[in-house]
C-alpha cells in the first residue's frame, strides 16, 4: 500500500506566512509524489495548497480532508473528503497519516501537532519556516512530556529523507 | 474534479449476503472506474471489498473510510482514511459522496441511508440485492417523509447510468 | 450513578407530529424525573422539547446534546452540550444512554434507531405515536437482522416500566 | 441557564502532576459549585477528578465528557457523556463551555487549549500549576498569533473571579 504523508501548516489567512514556507511546502509536495507517496492535508489554502500544487506538478495523488464543504477545497486536491466536522477534522488528518510534516502554522497547526503526540505519530518540523513550528524548534515546548517522536530538519529534502526512513522502520 | 461515488452495503459478517449482491457490487465498482469516478466506501469486507475489487480490475482509484485502524482495510483499497470514529464514520462516507449506491445491508447500511436522506444526497438502491435495500424497494419505508431523492434500479448498469445522470444534472 | 434515559423523535418541523405524540413525550419526561433518571435528548423542539418540559415539571435534570450552537436549545434544557458535529451528534445521544425511548420520528430518528441497534443499546418504541416508530412497530423492519434488543410498548407508563426493568437487569 | 465552566489539565498518568495543582483543581471545583455553575470536564482522573470532587463537596453538578466508555469515569461525575470519539472529545468539552480554566497539563491539555483559541473561547491559565500551563504563562507561546482571549491568574480564587467576569460581560 502507498504511504500516506501529511503536510500541516498555516492557511492563507496567516499574514506572517513567508514565501520560504510556501516554497518549502511546494517542494515537499513534489518530493512526496516522486517517492510514490500520497499527500494528505486539510485541503485548504496556504501551506496546504502549495504542497498540493507541488505534488500535482509531479503527478502525485492529493487528498484534502476538509472541514465542512467542497467549496473550501484548493484546486490541486484530487480527492476531497468532506468531514462535516469543522476543525475537528484535524484529528483525522493526523490519524490517517504514516508521518506528519509541519511548516509554519498557528493554533490549528498546534492542534494537529498535539494530536500527533497524543497518537504517537512521527512528526517532522522544518526549521526556519516560522510560526509555531519555529517556536517548537527553538525548544520552547521541550518540557511538555518525554515524547521522543518528533524530529527537527532544515529543508524539504531532509524532511522527505527522514519521512521515508521513519516509514521504512 | 473527479466524481466521488460511494457504495454502501453489508460487510462479510452478514450471513444473508448473496453471491448476486457481491457480483453486483463488483460490477458497479468496475463501472465507476470505467466512468473515471473515484470509489468511496467504508473500506471493509463484503459489498465494500467486492466493489473495490471491481474498481481495481479496471484501474480505478478506491478510498476506504475506516472506523478505527488500518488493520480493518480490504486489500483493494488505495487510500485508507482512518477516521478513529468507529461506525460514526458512516456520516463522512455519505457526506463526501456525490451519489450513494446501496446493495443489501443491515443496520449499518440503514444508518448510512438515513444520513443520505438527512443530507439530501441522491441515493440509488439496487433491487434484488436483499437486506434493508429490498425492504426499502418494497416501499416499506415510503411513508417516512416526502424525500424524493432516492431511486430504485434493477442492475449495476442501470445504477451507474442513473448515478452519472444525477451527477451531471 | 443516576440512570441516563434518552428520548428520541421528531422535532417541530415534522408536520405529521401529533398532539398524542407530544403528550406522550411530556408524560415520559415527567416519569423519568420521578424515577430519578436523567433525561438525555437532542435538545431541540418537538418531541425533545415536550420531554424536557415534562421532566422539568417534576424537577428532573435535562441534558440536550445539540448539533451546532446554544441557539438551537429548547428552554427546558439544563445542560446543553454543544457537539459542533451537526446531526452526527445522534451517535453520542445513543451511546451515552442506558435505554432509548422512541416516539414518532423521521430520518433523523431512524438514524438514532440504527445507532441503537449498532451499539446494541436497548430501544423502546411507543406504538401509536406515528412516523418511523409506527412503521417499525408494524414489523416493517423486522427482517433487517436478528437483533432482539428492541421492545414495543403502548404508553408512556409501559415505556418507563420497561426502561427501569432493562436498566436494573 | 446555568453557566458551564470547564476545567482541563493532566490526568493521573502525569508523573509531574503536583499536589498544588490537584488542590487548586479541587478548590476551583468547589468555587464553581458555589457560584451555581456546572462543571464540565473530560471525566477522568488527576485534575479532572480533583475538580469534580471539589464540586460535589459543595453540592455542584458535574459533567464528564468521556473518550470511550463509562468505565473511564471518576466517581464524582454526575452525568457521564460517552462520546465514543476518543481524545477527539476534547473539542466538545471546549465548544460546550462558556469559559475554560487550565491547570498543569501535557499534550492533551495543549490540544484543548488550541481548540479554545480556534473557537475563540475565553481561557484562564493558573500560574504555578506546572506543565504546559506554566510554559504558556512564561510567554513561550506568545507569538503564535494575536489572540487576546486568554488570561493568566495566580490562584483558584482569582480564576473563578475572572471566569464570572468573563461570563457576565
Amino acid at each position: 500500500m502507498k504511504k500516506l504523508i501529511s503536510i500541516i501548516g498555516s492557511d492563507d489567512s496567516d499574514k506572517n506566512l513567508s514565501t520560504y514556507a510556501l516554497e518549502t511546502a511546494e517542494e515537499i509536495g513534489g518530493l512526496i509524489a516522486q517517492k510514490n507517496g500520497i499527500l494528505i492535508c486539510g485541503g485548504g489554502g496556504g501551506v496546504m495548497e502549495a504542497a498540493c500544487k507541488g505534488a500535482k506538478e509531479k503527478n502525485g495523488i492529493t487528498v484534502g480532508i476538509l472541514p465542512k464543504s467542497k467549496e473550501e477545497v484548493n484546486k490541486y486536491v484530487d480527492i476531497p473528503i468532506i468531514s462535516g466536522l469543522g476543525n475537528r477534522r484535524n484529528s483525522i488528518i493526523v490519524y490517517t497519516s504514516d508521518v506528519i510534516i509541519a511548516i509554519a502554522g498557528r493554533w490549528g497547526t498546534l492542534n494537529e501537532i498535539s494530536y500527533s503526540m497524543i497518537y504517537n505519530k512521527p512528526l517532522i518540523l522544518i526549521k526556519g519556516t516560522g510560526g509555531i513550528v519555529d517556536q517548537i524548534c527553538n525548544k520552547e515546548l521541550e518540557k511538555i512530556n518525554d515524547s521522543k517522536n518528533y524530529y527537527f530538519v532544515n529543508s524539504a529534502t531532509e524532511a522527505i529523507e527522514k519521512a521515508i526512513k521513519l516509514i521504512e522502520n
Side-chain angles (χ1 to χ4, degrees), chain A:
Chain A
M1 190 171 289
K2 292 189 178 193
K3 291 307 168 183
L4 308 180
I5 301 176
S6 65
I7 300 198
I8 61 175
S10 307
D11 67 21
D12 48 8
S13 72
D14 180 357
K15 291 171 199 164
N16 295 319
L17 185 56
S18 68
T19 305
Y20 176 67
L22 289 169
E23 285 171 352
T24 303
E26 188 174 334
E27 189 182 351
I28 283 268
L31 290 166
I32 290 171
Q34 286 178 322
K35 294 291 186 183
N36 213 20
I38 290 174
L39 170 61
I40 307 289
C41 73
V47 162
M48 297 175 272
E49 182 163 357
C52 289
K53 183 166 185 273
K56 290 315 294 175
E57 284 166 351
K58 304 294 182 189
N59 297 309
I61 296 177
T62 57
V63 176
I65 302 180
L66 293 158
K68 287 193 182 157
S69 81
K70 213 177 270 190
E71 279 65 50
E72 301 160 315
V73 76
N74 75 60
K75 62 186 171 184
Y76 304 105
V77 167
D78 293 316
I79 304 175
I81 305 294
I82 320 294
S83 72
L85 304 175
N87 287 90
R88 301 157 197 82
R89 65 66 151 101
N90 292 347
S91 66
I92 303 180
I93 297 170
V94 170
Y95 210 59
T96 289
S97 302
D98 297 306
V99 180
I100 294 98
I101 300 174
I103 291 173
R106 294 177 296 172
W107 289 108
T109 303
L110 184 55
N111 184 264
E112 293 166 315
I113 287 171
S114 59
Y115 274 126
S116 304
M117 296 298 103
I118 289 169
Y119 301 143
N120 197 29
K121 291 275 183 178
L123 171 71
I124 297 168
L125 304 119
I126 308 188
K127 282 187 193 180
T129 55
I132 184 65
V133 161
D134 273 346
Q135 289 192 263
I136 295 174
C137 291
N138 293 335
K139 308 276 180 179
E140 294 180 352
L141 286 177
E142 180 178 43
K143 294 159 286 183
I144 290 182
N145 69 1
D146 41 20
S147 168
K148 289 287 184 295
N149 210 1
Y150 56 89
Y151 309 91
F152 304 123
V153 299
N154 292 296
S155 67
T157 316
E158 271 189 39
I160 196 74
E161 280 168 9
K162 185 71 190 167
I164 299 298
K165 214 172 281 181
L166 286 164
I167 290 170
E168 286 174 351
N169 277 350

